[in-house]
Every structure is written in structure tokens, then in C-alpha cells.
Amino acid sequence: MAGPLICLTLTGKTLKEDVELVKKYAYCIDVVELRVDHLNEDEQLEVRKFPSMINVPCILTIRRVNDGGLFNSSEYSRTALFARALAFADPNPDKNFAYVDFEDDFCIPSLQDAALAFGVKIIRSYHCFDGPVQGFRERFIQMKKSNYEIPKIAFMPKTLSDVTNLFRECECIKDMDFIVCAMGDLGVPSRILSYKLNSYLTYVSPKECLGNMGGIGHIDPLTLTDLYNFKNLSDTTKICAVTGFPLKVTSSPLIHNAGYRANNMNRVFIPLCSTSMAESIEFAQQVGIEGMAVTVPFKADVMGLLDGIDEEVAEIGACNTVVKCEEGWYGHNTDASGFMRALSEFIGDKKLRHRKVAIIGAGGASHAVAYAIKEMGGKACIFNRTVSTAKALAEKFGFDYAPLGEESVSKLDKYADIIIQTTKVGMNSEEKSSKENNPIWFYHFKGTEYLMDIVYDPEITPVMAMAKLAGCKVCNGFPMLKYQGYRQFKYFTGVDYEGTDSE
């Protein structure tokens, strides 16, 4: 097989809705799965005609509730629906279902015989939502009721190590057709890198219907094909990743993959959600990842796992970039340089002559910001809820410090020439400013301050909206993300990012 097929899962309420989705995405998919359990009840009786309504091979699936579906009637009713959908086979195979999905414990000989007689391939599936699966080869062999069936296993991993084991076991299975994937955010790499698993296909959902799949980790087909270049991935493709937790929002794959395309590189940059940096490195070793962008909460933790670090990492005390080399994993920090470049563009000056800076927060990102402010000649005060943490960071760079709260209004006003918001507060929030989404809700902007929030989703955070309303100049964190990504790109590939100045 050249590579895994892309299967579009259809979860519309009507056949007409599903047909329109097939037409929209036909150019980037190979097969579709009709989820009959998502159709309106009257529509379910008409599914026999669906294959003749589209020009793509179709899988017939009627998924039960306990297997992650919506069908909650009796097994007798479900069996009747399967029989109705498979009956009256057309001499033209394109007008019949190409596949039917039967669960591992659903064994109806008459349906199995009918499928085989009509040339309909049987996918024999098993879904596990409460933990990992092991012994994949043996399970595949046990699941097959005949040599003409394709076994499928989908499971919900508890840790990234469960996904690593999936790759470890399945990369060696090359003598049979099978379908396999890990579900949820942890399992996303199993969908993008399904070619490394030798999986027969990978499932996607239309962007319009991603919410119908209950967070099992489906990607939309355009993202898979356009962002991750899925159809061109192979054993010669070099892989990099961004790792962190929960990693709900990241633009790093967009930046890096665009650079790969612009430079005609056979590379892919993927998201790697993990609750442990050690498990991220374990996964990277297994699949051959050459470099990783490191984000929260691992920028400090990763340092103890590396074989070497550069001077910036040692000085800042945080690492956001690791590269695999002959000696092992080597750490860099590109946050500081990315921040300096973004801040210089924002304020129109490369130096902070006589400017005082308020740094909000004392987490991993604030270390790089503090280092950059020191390098640019600025004076700063670290504001943080835990004063001891603020003190430790401030003393490292010779800065002032204060608690983050109403009691520090006068000191914040003293250092408010430039305010840098480094916490996660306000991320994914487009609501009006409040104590919950604005770390300096108590501060009254005069309109002369520069405010930079390193959060970039949403584009205008609550604290930015409040500052902008007062007449302040504001900037989100995307320029910082972009410029630090450009430097990472150089570390990962050895070439300058397309369309940027050499650094």
C-alpha cells in the first residue's frame, strides 16, 4: 500500500447533508464512513441508496453507544438496518457499500456471508475508552473471522507512553491490513503519522462536524492534507514537534510547516501533547523526531533531561528548543531573542533607554522576558502572586519585585512605561475584562503605556482590550511566537526561514 487512505467520517443528520460534505472534501479524501447512527431515524431507512449518491468508496457503520456511537436501540433493530443497507446488491460495485464495520463481538453469519458475497470488505473493530491496548499483532489475528477482514483497534491512551508503545508494536507489522489509532489529544500523532503505523487508513471529520465526535481526536481533512502534507509523508520524511500540556492551541505547526513548503523540504512539524517531558523524549526517540519546540509546563523540567545546553538556557533557566545530535539532546532558548525582536518592532527601538518595565508573572516565559529586558538595558519589576517566586527571578537579574494585586498599584504605575503580561491568564477568553481573565484588572491605564501580552489566542485578550480602550498601544504574543519559531527553524533545518532576514 502506498500510504494510509484518508477516510472522512460523515455525521450529518441527513443523507443530503452528508452528500454535500463529500462533494466539498472529495479532492482530499479516499473513502468515507457513513455513520448511520448519527442520521435522523427516517433517514436511516434510506441508507441503501447512499453509495450511488457519491463518487467515493463508502464504509457502512452503525455504532452502538458503548462503542462511542449514538445507536441506542436493540441489536435486533441494528441487525435489520445492516441487512437493509446491504441488500439488493447492484451489479455495479460502485453503487454498493465498499466496506461494512462490524464490532468484534457482533457476529451474524448471514450478514458476514452477504458482505463477502457482494464483495463488501468487513472491518472488524474494537474500541477501548478506558485505557491502553497491548499485543496488537496477536489481537489482530484473533479478531479476524476470515482472511478477508480488516481488523481495527482504537483506544484512549492515558499517557503518551501508551501511544509510544502503539508505534513500537505496529511499525513492525507489515504482512496484513489493519486499522489502528489512539484517540484523544494524546493520540493525534497516531493520525498524522499513521504511515509509520502501517495503518490501512486514518479517520478525519469535516471541520463543520468535529464537535460531533466527542473529543476523540479527529483532525479535519484540510488540516491533515494542507498543514501536515499527509499524502507526501513517508519513511524519508524528517519529523519535528511542539510538546507541552494541554497544548490546546499552538501555531507552531503552521509556522514551521509553511517554512518547509517554501523551502521544498520533506519535513513535517506535529503537535505532541504529553503530561511528561520524559515521555515526549521517549516518543521522539521511538518515531525519530529530530527536534522539539518545548512549551508550558516543560521549559524548566526539560533541562534535567538534556545532554547539553547553551549559555542562554543556563542564564535564563528555561529551555524551549531541543535538538537531537550525536551526543544526545541539546537545549536552546529562542524565546528571549524572539521576544526582543518583537518588542523592538512594537516600541520602535532596540534599546530600553530610561524605560521602566512591569513584568506580570514569574513562570517559565517570564524568565526569557526578564533576560531580554536586561539585555536591552531596561529596568523592571516582577509582579507575581507568589512573592517568593517573584523575588527569586528579580534577584537573578537585578530587578525589583512586588506581589501581584491591588496593594501594588502604585508600584505598577511606577514601572508601567511598558507592561509585559507573561501568564496564561486570558488565554482562550474573549469575554469582558474581569478578575478571572485579566491579571491586572485592578490597574487603571493612563493611555501612555505600551502593553504586550504574550498570549496570542484570542488576538485581543481582555487585558489588551482594556488597555486599548484607554488609548494604549497593544501587541499580542504572535510576533514573539513567530520570531522565536524562525530561530528554531534554523536550529532544526540549518537554513534561514523563507522570507525573513538572516539572524
Side-chain angles (χ1 to χ4, degrees):
M1 187 173 69
L5 304 176
I6 298 178
C7 177
L8 182 69
T9 297
L10 301 169
T11 55
K13 293 183 179 298
T14 67
L15 295 178
K16 181 180 179 181
E17 181 183 344
D18 286 336
V19 168
E20 291 304 312
L21 291 170
V22 174
K23 290 179 180 178
K24 179 176 180 178
Y25 294 104
Y27 77 96
C28 61
I29 60 175
D30 303 297
V31 61
V32 299
E33 178 189 35
L34 180 64
R35 286 290 298 270
V36 179
D37 50 299
H38 280 259
L39 290 169
N40 292 331
E41 192 169 342
D42 57 333
E43 292 280 313
Q44 292 179 356
L45 301 177
E46 304 296 327
V47 297
R48 175 64 190 87
K49 64 184 181 182
F50 186 73
S52 63
M53 300 168 68
I54 59 175
N55 295 313
V56 183
C58 184
I59 302 171
L60 170 66
T61 301
I62 312 174
R63 190 72 71 217
R64 302 172 298 200
V65 171
N66 62 314
D67 289 305
L70 299 181
F71 194 85
N72 57 8
S73 296
S74 67
E75 279 295 82
Y76 176 83
S77 298
R78 195 166 74 112
T79 301
L81 266 182
F82 271 124
R84 185 185 183 101
L86 294 172
F88 307 109
D90 195 286
N92 181 357
D94 292 340
K95 294 185 177 182
N96 302 324
F97 286 98
Y99 307 83
V100 61
D101 186 310
F102 294 147
E103 292 84 6
D104 186 37
D105 61 352
F106 183 78
C107 301
I108 309 295
S110 59
L111 289 181
Q112 294 165 194
D113 292 344
L116 293 175
F118 299 154
V120 180
K121 294 182 180 178
I122 296 174
I123 296 173
R124 187 66 66 177
S125 62
Y126 170 71
H127 299 84
C128 181
F129 291 92
D130 56 4
V133 173
Q134 295 183 341
F136 287 92
R137 182 182 180 84
E138 292 73 18
R139 280 180 171 268
F140 290 148
I141 294 172
Q142 293 171 3
M143 290 170 65
K144 295 172 65 172
K145 305 299 187 288
S146 74
N147 291 329
Y148 304 101
E149 297 188 357
I150 302 173
K152 168 195 169 184
I153 295 177
F155 70 96
M156 187 67 73
K158 290 187 176 180
T159 68
L160 185 60
S161 287
D162 297 335
V163 184
T164 302
N165 181 69
L166 169 68
F167 278 84
R168 184 179 295 115
E169 290 195 31
C170 291
E171 282 180 335
C172 302
I173 308 175
K174 299 182 179 181
D175 58 345
M176 70 173 81
D177 286 335
F178 61 88
I179 301 167
V180 67
C181 71
M183 297 183 284
D185 293 336
L186 292 170
V188 167
S190 74
R191 301 181 186 276
I192 301 172
L193 304 180
S194 55
Y195 72 95
K196 279 189 166 289
L197 294 168
N198 299 307
S199 183
Y200 184 78
L201 57 78
T202 191
Y203 291 93
V204 296
S205 284
K207 195 168 186 178
E208 302 91 326
C209 303
L210 282 173
N212 295 346
M213 297 309 295
I216 65 171
H218 274 203
I219 302 171
D220 73 89
L222 297 185
T223 296
L224 188 66
T225 57
D226 295 349
L227 177 58
Y228 297 115
N229 198 27
F230 181 81
K231 286 293 186 179
N232 294 312
L233 301 182
S234 69
D235 288 336
T236 61
T237 301
K238 294 182 178 181
I239 308 168
C240 288
V242 55
T243 190
F245 187 83
L247 207 65
K248 291 292 185 183
V249 177
T250 174
S251 293
S252 292
L254 181 65
I255 293 170
H256 286 266
N257 286 319
Y260 299 154
R261 285 194 300 273
N263 288 278
N264 296 313
M265 295 177 173
N266 182 15
R267 288 176 170 268
V268 66
F269 192 97
I270 68 169
L272 184 61
C273 178
S274 176
T275 58
S276 160
M277 189 63 214
E279 291 189 4
S280 295
I281 290 179
E282 177 193 26
F283 181 86
Q285 298 277 57
Q286 175 60 39
V287 304
I289 289 176
E290 296 187 346
M292 287 186 286
V294 181
T295 187
V296 292
F298 300 143
K299 293 184 180 184
D301 295 347
V302 68
M303 294 172 62
L305 303 171
L306 302 177
D307 300 287
I309 57 174
D310 66 16
E311 291 183 6
E312 280 187 311
V313 172
E315 180 70 18
I316 295 169
C319 171
N320 79 317
T321 307
V322 296
V323 181
K324 189 75 166 65
C325 56
E326 290 185 5
E327 295 78 17
W329 291 96
Y330 196 84
H332 305 273
N333 189 298
T334 68
D335 277 337
S337 63
F339 171 77
M340 281 190 277
R341 186 170 174 182
L343 182 62
S344 295
E345 287 186 358
F346 177 43
I347 66 174
D349 197 340
K350 292 185 177 180
K351 294 294 182 180
L352 298 177
R353 301 176 182 88
H354 311 297
R355 301 206 199 198
K356 293 186 176 180
V357 183
I359 300 175
I360 310 302
S366 66
H367 286 246
V369 169
Y371 172 86
I373 298 300
K374 184 74 172 180
E375 289 290 301
M376 296 173 75
K379 295 182 178 180
C381 181
I382 313 294
F383 295 85
N384 194 60
R385 296 189 186 282
T386 305
V387 180
S388 59
T389 306
K391 180 181 179 182
L393 178 59
E395 291 180 344
K396 184 174 183 179
F397 295 102
F399 292 156
D400 199 353
Y401 65 92
L404 180 58
E406 294 176 85
E407 68 272 31
S408 298
V409 168
S410 59
K411 180 163 280 193
L412 179 55
D413 187 63
K414 177 183 176 182
Y415 282 91
D417 293 338
I418 302 171
I419 300 175
I420 312 297
Q421 200 294 107
T422 72
T423 75
K424 294 187 292 182
V425 177
M427 185 179 291
N428 305 323
S429 176
E430 297 186 32
E431 299 176 0
K432 188 176 180 181
S433 173
S434 67
K435 289 183 180 181
E436 287 71 33
N437 62 27
N438 179 354
I440 54 172
W441 58 271
F442 52 85
Y443 180 73
H444 296 285
F445 287 94
K446 301 182 292 293
T448 58
E449 302 92 340
Y450 286 84
L451 173 77
M452 186 174 185
D453 191 335
I454 67 167
V455 171
Y456 58 89
D457 185 16
E459 186 176 349
I460 301 293
T461 63
V463 67
M464 289 174 63
M466 187 172 75
K468 192 174 183 180
L469 188 64
C472 300
K473 292 184 177 180
V474 300
C475 177
N476 66 22
F478 188 77
M480 176 184 173
L481 174 75
K482 179 176 67 173
Y483 292 135
Q484 66 83 26
Y486 288 172
R487 192 172 176 196
Q488 285 178 334
F489 187 88
K490 181 69 176 283
Y491 281 129
F492 295 154
T493 69
V495 302
D496 293 312
Y497 194 92
E498 178 70 15
T500 66
D501 296 329
S502 297
E503 296 185 36

